[in-house]
Every structure is written in structure tokens, then in C-alpha cells.
Amino acid sequence: MSAQPANPANLANPASRDWPLFEVFIRSKQGLDHKHVGSLHASDAAHAITLARDVYTRRQEGVSIWVVPSNAITASAPEQKAENFDPMASKIYRHPTFYDIPAEVGHM
Amino acid sequence: MLPESTLLTLADTCLISGHRLSEWCGHGPALEEDIALTNTALDAIGQARALLQVVAARRSPAITEDALAYLREPAQFANLALAAAPNTDYAHTVLRSLLLAAWLVPVWDALGHSSDHDIAAIAGNAAKEARVQRRHARQWWVRFGDGTAESRRRAEAAVAALWPLTGELSAVRIPGVDPDAVLSAWWDAVQDAFAEATMPLPTAAPPLSGELAAQAAQWRHALLGEMQSLARQHPGARW
Amino acid sequence: MYTQAIDVGPVDATASRSTTPQDDEFLKRIARDEKIEPQDPMPEAYRKTLIRQISQHAHSEVVGMLPEGGWITRAPSLKRKEILLAKVQDEGGHGLYLYSAAETLGVSRAELIDALHSGKAKYSSIFNYETATWADIGTIGWLVDGAAIMNQVPLCRCSYGPYARAMIRICKEESFHQRQGFDIVRTLCQGTPEQKAMAQESINRWWWPTLMMFGPHDADSPHTGQATAWGIKRITNDDLRQKFVDVTVPQAEFLGLTLPDPDLKWNAARGHYDIGRINWDEFRRVVNGDGPCNAERMHDRVKAFDDGAWVRDAAAAHAAKAAARYATSPDTRIAA
């Protein structure tokens, strides 16, 4: 799916008849991060914003919306999941619970 | 307090245009757009309910919003003719929304300061909803005017059908609301949308002809015939 | 609103047999209750089965807008009109979430819609029944949505991440659908004799089709084993149907409505209600296209899609023009 607007003349390939796909991110309230909530098809980014408001905030789920063309997202490779993330498991000294603090010292 | 005739003009305009918008639900041109348009239908029907509740409570003895919506005769409705215009195609729906919302935004804005506090409270919320509807319609109007040859042809047909109905707008009088200010805000919004859509703006429409008024009454009659059918089959029933 | 998993079997039974080491690793991940995400390796049969099930589910939501949608313009009070409009709109949203989930598996929405319109793809046959009276709007919410919720809640834990997340959102939104339906039926039962009769007549028509929504008996569902092994199906058809009957019978008693099954009775030994024989001939007939409204539903869907083509094209054409103008002269871009 291309983020470029579909060419209406090109009807041979069914996929080209869809508007481009956008990923939608919503800030549920001031002070929180935008969070991925889903996707939708829209003719361009401005259109995607207005449609995201109607599709994803019908129950006051948000106060701010981001949209990103789906094909603009670069993702880490699933097959590198183990080598990327497993080595972090052994670095237990990064966590506060690794350290014993004598009870007399109190909260730290 | 605003006169009942004013409240009914606004309430019936919202109810009938909301009903027209609701006819698209499940039949929209794209799934996303179906959901978006239904939001504008819900807003309009919600505005109508709020106003009809005020009217109903002020009657003596008090009646209900549903008695006003379902048991009045079509001739007793006070909606703008534009609101009842049939959907025909999406260009007609979008233009009707644009022309109505461009009028309702300044009306609600002015009524937000009304000394009739019940109405001022309704208007504050309705002004936001009307802005959403105006923006939604404006964006589509631009896509149609500046889209494909077919969308432009359909946009032109919608102008031919609906523009004459706007002649009625200059005749509406709402106590406490400056009619010239409303009309000038309406013109600005419509002019701006037509310009971006590269659509030629027609000249001001003359007051509604008797023929057009009769046509609008027929649209309303058919619409209410459907809307009121079940409620009228069961007099006195609660739902 | 939804539907049973109409057909959750593998697309190609032989392809589903785990053969490669990668497939063994996949089954181990499922067994550990790990979620599968779009880019993860997965057996081709799992991917195809999911596309079919999720898209059937999406089609069911969108076709499901039609039977109730026909009453929006005739809803007998303004409150009911708003509620029904919001509910049917939600169903469109649910269809959209599900199409999006299916699209993560490498299929476009246009292809899925083509499959629906050409008759290749199925949707829940419950939507091929007629909504003849206003009471049907209540019955659909109370019984059909009630049955759907039974089915959907376990899907929130299904192994495919995007499907499970869509189902969580759907279940959250759906929680008002069944209640509004029950509320309509309850109001009718407390109303005039004509209204109560309308409610009873509607239940008489919808009870059996609703029970059929859970799909064939377990003994006649050869593919359930595979779907369960893949973590797509969590509870069997008969178990879900039983659960639905057990919670619904007391609700009908509360309303003073009779369920149209002379064999329906409490079985103390089992701790469940027994029901009569389901007419599977009717089920197959409706699934295979010979229900009361199959042709009408498809006609309405295809018409809406075809009538909307010029609208979608206009938006795409305008976006292309605006993008070209922006590319040559960014300063002239008009913010929408």
C-alpha cells in the first residue's frame, strides 16, 4: 500500500482502489503519550486526521491525534528479536532491586 | 425567552437535516466516511432534541419532545426548506451540510450570548458541533470541485438544485441576533469554500418562490410520513 | 455485533500439518500463550485461516448495519433514533477495526470487499433474516448481540495480536449494544398488548437463528481442533451455545416471554438447560444463499460501494493534485 494518493485510473489492481493506509495515534489526556490505536484509509493526511476523530474518539478517547502513513514506519526485524533484546536480561544491576539497602538507612 | 416559533425553526431544521444525514448510515461511500457522516447526524438530532425539550417543557400543560417530533402535522413544522432537500447523491448531501452549517455557526455563536439561558447553554455546544459539520462539508466540497470531472459535474448539479433554497436565509429573523451579521458570516464561509473548490459562486438567491416552497413542503411531508409512521400506529405507546 | 466463527477450519487441511522446524517453533509459541504479531513467521495456513475468519467477521459487521439500519428513519422516539444510529455506526467501526486487522496479514481492503461482493467470502447468515418489526431491533440487540458477545469475549485472547486488540476494542464498545436491545424489549413487554405481542412474535422468529449463530455441533465441526491448537478458537460451539441458553432463559422469564422450544427445560443432573433439535437444514440453506434477505443485503452493499466510487475517486484525485502543488511550491499549500 503506497502512501501516495491512489491513481483512480488504475483499476486493474484492486489494492490501488483503496485510499492509502494511515496508522493512528491518540493522546488520551493531556500529560500522556500518544498511543497507537489502529489504522484507517484516507485520501491524505489531513483527511486521515478528521476521519480518525470520527472513527477512534467517539467515546472521548482522545484530546490529540497523530496520523502517519503506514508505509513510513520502519520496524525492527522480528527475526532479530532474540539478539536485540535478550542480552538485556542479564544486566540486572540496572534495576534498583539489585541492591540491598540496610533497613536502618530507610527509604532510598 | 425566545419565542416558540424561533425555537421550532431551529429545532425542526436540525431534526430534518439530521434525519436526512441518518439516511446514509450503512450506505456511505467509504466505511470511514459512513462513520464520520453519522457523527454529524447524531449532532443534529441531539441539537433538535435539546431544543424540543425546551419547547415541550414551556408548553402549558407541558408535553414531550416526542409529541412534537412525531405527532405534529407536517404543515406545523418550521424547518428551513434547505434542510429537507433529498440526498440525491453525496455532492447534494455535502453542499446541503455546507450551506446549513455555514448559517448555523454564526446563529449558534450569537445565541450563545442569549439572555434565554436554556438556549444559550444549548447553543454553546451546538456551535462546536456545527463547526465540525461545516469543516467536514467544506473539505468534501473542495475535493468535489477540485477532484475529477465527474465530481465537478455532480457538484455543479448540486448547486443548481440547492442554491435557490438559500434565498430563504435572508428572511429568517431571530430576536437578539443581527441578521446582517449572520448573513455576512454565511457569505464569507461559503465564498471561501467555493473559492478553494474552484467553483464559481452564484449570485445571491432571490426569496423562496411559491413553487420552491411547495416542493420543500412535499419533501418534508414524505420524510415525516416515514419518520412518524410507527409512532402514529400506536397512539399513546411508550418506546 | 457479530456472529459465530462461521468456518474456522484451515484453508487447506494438508498445509496445516506442521512440517518445518519453524512451524514447530510456532506451535510452541502458541502453547506458551505468546501473541503472534504481523511480521512474525507463521505457517501459511494460519495466515490464510486468519484472513478468512477476520474478513468474514468484518463483512458480518458491515452487512450487519443493514437490517437494523432500515429502522433508523422509523425509530419511534428521538431517544431510540439516536441510540440506534450510534449502535449501527459502531458496527461500521467494528468492521473497520477488523478489516484493518486483516490488512496486517498482507491483504488489501479492496481485495476483501471484492471477495464479499463477488460472493466468494461469507458473512454471518443471521443478517439474512428480515427485520420486519421494531421489536426485531430489540431482539437483535438482546439475543443476537448477546450471542455475539459470548463469542467475542474469548477472541480477545486469540493468538493473533491485531485480531485480539481489535476484539478488545469491539467488546468494550459493544457492551451497550445488548443492553439497549434488552431495554427495547423490556419497554415493549411493559407496554400495550400490541407491543407485548410484537415482542413475543419477534422472539419466536429470532430464537432459533440465534442459536444457529454458534455454528454446527462440535461433533460436526471437524476443523475446531486445528483452530484451537492455533489459539484462534478458545471455546467450542456447543459450550458457547449452552452458556448463552443458560443466561438467556432466566432473562426471558423475567420479561414474561416464551421461548419457542417445547423441549426447553432445566436439566438438574447436568446443571444446564436442555434444548430441542436445531434445524440445520435451514442453517445450511441460509448460509448457502437461500435466506430471506441474502440477495437484498448483497444488492445494498454493492450499490453503496458502486455509488461511492466517484466520491472515493474525487478524494484521491484531489489529494494527488494537492500533493503535486505542494511538491512544486510548498508555500502555497493550504492547510485543511
Side-chain angles (χ1 to χ4, degrees):
Chain A
M1 178 60 49
S2 161
Q4 296 306 309
N7 176 1
N10 180 9
L11 297 180
N13 172 13
S16 73
R17 285 182 287 143
D18 281 329
W19 287 332
L21 192 64
F22 288 83
E23 301 301 318
V24 179
F25 300 79
I26 305 264
R27 185 201 296 287
S28 58
K29 61 177 196 178
Q30 294 295 106
L32 297 183
D33 289 325
H34 286 76
K35 187 168 168 290
H36 184 244
V37 295
S39 55
L40 51 73
H41 290 278
S43 57
D44 59 25
H47 191 200
I49 288 279
T50 62
L51 290 176
R53 177 255 183 197
D54 292 307
V55 171
Y56 287 106
T57 69
R58 295 198 302 283
R59 290 172 170 79
Q60 288 198 297
E61 291 94 335
V63 296
S64 166
I65 300 170
W66 288 349
V67 295
V68 179
S70 302
N71 68 352
I73 291 180
T74 307
S76 63
E79 57 270 26
Q80 290 173 356
K81 184 165 155 256
E83 67 197 59
N84 270 340
F85 307 112
D86 289 356
M88 310 308 184
S90 58
K91 314 298 193 289
I92 52 175
Y93 42 77
R94 288 193 193 275
H95 299 280
T97 46
F98 181 71
Y99 303 93
D100 284 332
I101 302 294
E104 307 89 283
V105 176
H107 178 73
M108 182 179 286
Chain B
M1 284 201 307
L2 287 167
E4 183 176 298
S5 60
T6 294
L7 300 185
L8 285 178
T9 297
L10 292 169
D12 293 344
T13 295
C14 293
L15 178 60
I16 294 209
S17 72
H19 184 99
R20 279 286 183 235
L21 292 167
S22 80
E23 290 173 359
W24 278 105
C25 185
H27 306 273
L31 198 43
E32 284 84 350
E33 182 58 21
D34 203 310
I35 295 165
L37 194 76
T38 298
N39 267 351
T40 65
L42 283 168
D43 285 344
I45 294 168
Q47 292 151 14
R49 283 191 72 188
L51 291 166
L52 289 177
Q53 282 164 9
V54 171
V55 172
R58 289 178 182 178
R59 284 277 179 94
S60 179
I63 54 170
T64 66
E65 62 182 75
D66 286 332
L68 289 167
Y70 289 91
L71 301 178
R72 269 186 302 158
E73 294 301 322
Q76 296 175 297
F77 277 70
N79 60 291
L80 295 179
L82 192 54
N87 288 318
T88 311
D89 68 8
Y90 217 62
H92 282 67
T93 297
V94 160
L95 181 60
R96 188 186 61 221
S97 279
L98 175 67
L99 297 173
L100 273 179
W103 183 77
L104 283 168
V105 167
V107 168
W108 293 129
D109 278 346
L111 287 176
H113 306 289
S114 173
S115 57
D116 187 335
H117 296 295
D118 293 335
I119 303 308
I122 293 169
N125 196 39
K128 293 178 210 158
E129 294 171 344
R131 280 187 166 77
V132 171
Q133 187 182 17
R134 187 178 66 179
R135 182 184 68 195
H136 177 260
R138 180 190 189 282
Q139 289 176 344
W140 275 109
W141 190 242
V142 171
R143 291 185 192 110
F144 291 162
D146 187 30
T148 63
E150 180 176 8
S151 67
R152 186 163 179 108
R153 184 177 59 69
R154 287 175 181 268
E156 285 162 359
V159 173
L162 300 181
W163 189 262
L165 298 169
T166 62
E168 189 183 13
L169 297 179
S170 51
V172 182
R173 292 289 175 273
I174 300 173
V177 175
D178 175 1
D180 294 336
V182 168
L183 270 190
S184 127
W186 180 81
W187 262 108
D188 287 349
V190 171
Q191 200 164 26
D192 171 66
F194 273 61
E196 201 188 333
T198 70
M199 293 286 293
L201 189 69
T203 53
L208 219 53
S209 68
E211 197 186 343
L212 266 181
Q215 170 69 77
Q218 267 179 24
W219 290 331
R220 175 172 64 200
H221 195 272
L223 182 151
L224 291 175
E226 182 176 355
M227 189 183 107
Q228 299 178 335
S229 57
L230 176 61
R232 283 177 177 252
Q233 279 164 25
H234 298 265
R238 285 182 57 253
W239 300 95
Chain C
M1 131 154 28
Y2 157 71
T3 119
Q4 87 280 359
I6 302 162
D7 186 2
V8 293
V11 175
D12 170 359
T14 53
S16 72
R17 219 173 293 133
S18 178
T19 46
T20 69
Q22 223 184 18
D23 290 351
D24 287 338
E25 177 52 35
F26 176 81
L27 287 178
K28 280 184 204 151
R29 290 185 65 187
I30 300 278
R32 288 196 299 268
D33 234 356
E34 271 182 44
K35 293 287 182 210
I36 307 302
E37 294 295 345
Q39 305 304 320
D40 290 346
M42 63 183 83
E44 188 55 15
Y46 174 83
R47 196 181 70 86
K48 283 193 171 148
T49 300
L50 275 174
I51 289 177
R52 192 174 53 181
Q53 179 172 333
I54 299 172
S55 63
Q56 279 178 358
H57 193 164
H59 298 327
S60 299
E61 298 283 356
V62 172
V63 176
M65 297 172 81
L66 299 171
E68 289 172 282
W71 281 93
I72 290 171
T73 54
R74 292 174 290 166
S77 76
L78 294 180
K79 181 181 91 175
R80 293 291 178 202
K81 195 185 194 70
E82 278 187 333
I83 293 171
L84 183 58
L85 196 48
K87 176 185 189 265
V88 176
Q89 181 196 39
D90 270 356
E91 280 153 18
H94 299 172
L96 192 154
Y97 309 152
L98 289 162
Y99 282 128
S100 296
E103 284 176 87
T104 65
L105 291 157
V107 61
S108 72
R109 191 192 293 176
E111 289 169 301
L112 297 175
I113 289 177
D114 272 354
L116 173 69
H117 292 179
S118 69
K120 229 176 86 191
K122 296 258 188 284
Y123 57 89
S124 180
S125 40
I126 195 76
F127 304 118
N128 289 323
Y129 289 89
E130 188 188 10
T131 41
T133 70
W134 170 253
D136 291 351
I137 301 307
T139 307
I140 288 179
W142 173 36
L143 296 184
V144 175
D145 287 319
I149 290 166
M150 289 278 164
N151 236 303
Q152 293 181 150
V153 168
L155 284 172
C156 295
R157 294 183 292 119
C158 108
S159 60
Y160 188 57
Y163 192 21
R165 290 192 287 275
M167 290 316 306
I168 289 170
R169 179 173 276 271
I170 289 170
C171 284
K172 215 159 109 187
E173 295 187 355
E174 191 110 347
S175 53
F176 99 80
H177 294 188
Q178 190 186 12
R179 285 182 180 212
Q180 65 86 33
F182 184 80
D183 193 54
I184 289 175
V185 178
R186 188 165 67 108
T187 308
L188 292 175
C189 288
Q190 293 168 347
T192 65
E194 290 82 9
Q195 285 178 302
K196 173 123 197 220
M198 192 195 282
Q200 181 63 58
E201 188 273 337
S202 173
I203 302 303
N204 292 349
R205 278 184 290 115
W206 287 90
W207 175 248
W208 288 107
T210 304
L211 294 186
M212 292 177 202
M213 284 173 66
F214 293 94
H217 288 305
D218 295 347
D220 304 322
S221 309
H223 301 314
T224 295
Q226 183 62 74
T228 305
W230 278 337
I232 298 174
K233 197 177 177 68
R234 296 281 184 176
I235 306 179
T236 70
N237 294 351
D238 283 331
D239 285 353
L240 283 171
R241 184 165 22 236
Q242 184 70 63
K243 201 173 158 197
F244 173 75
V245 171
D246 288 348
V247 302
T248 307
V249 172
Q251 293 168 359
E253 282 169 2
F254 171 84
L255 294 169
L257 292 170
T258 310
L259 296 171
D261 178 359
D263 297 324
L264 181 75
K265 61 171 185 300
W266 177 251
N267 182 329
R270 288 203 310 129
H272 293 293
Y273 284 94
D274 289 336
I275 60 170
R277 210 185 71 79
I278 294 174
N279 180 353
W280 292 112
D281 290 341
E282 175 188 327
F283 176 73
R284 274 184 291 274
R285 211 168 47 243
V286 180
V287 167
N288 290 327
D290 200 19
C293 299
N294 296 54
E296 182 189 335
R297 300 288 180 249
M298 252 333 88
H299 169 268
D300 286 358
R301 273 320 313 157
V302 170
K303 182 174 189 310
F305 190 78
D306 289 351
D307 286 354
W310 73 268
V311 178
R312 298 190 300 276
D313 287 350
H318 175 72
K321 287 185 195 178
R325 280 198 292 268
Y326 180 65
T328 49
S329 172
D331 293 343
T332 63
R333 187 182 185 212
I334 299 161

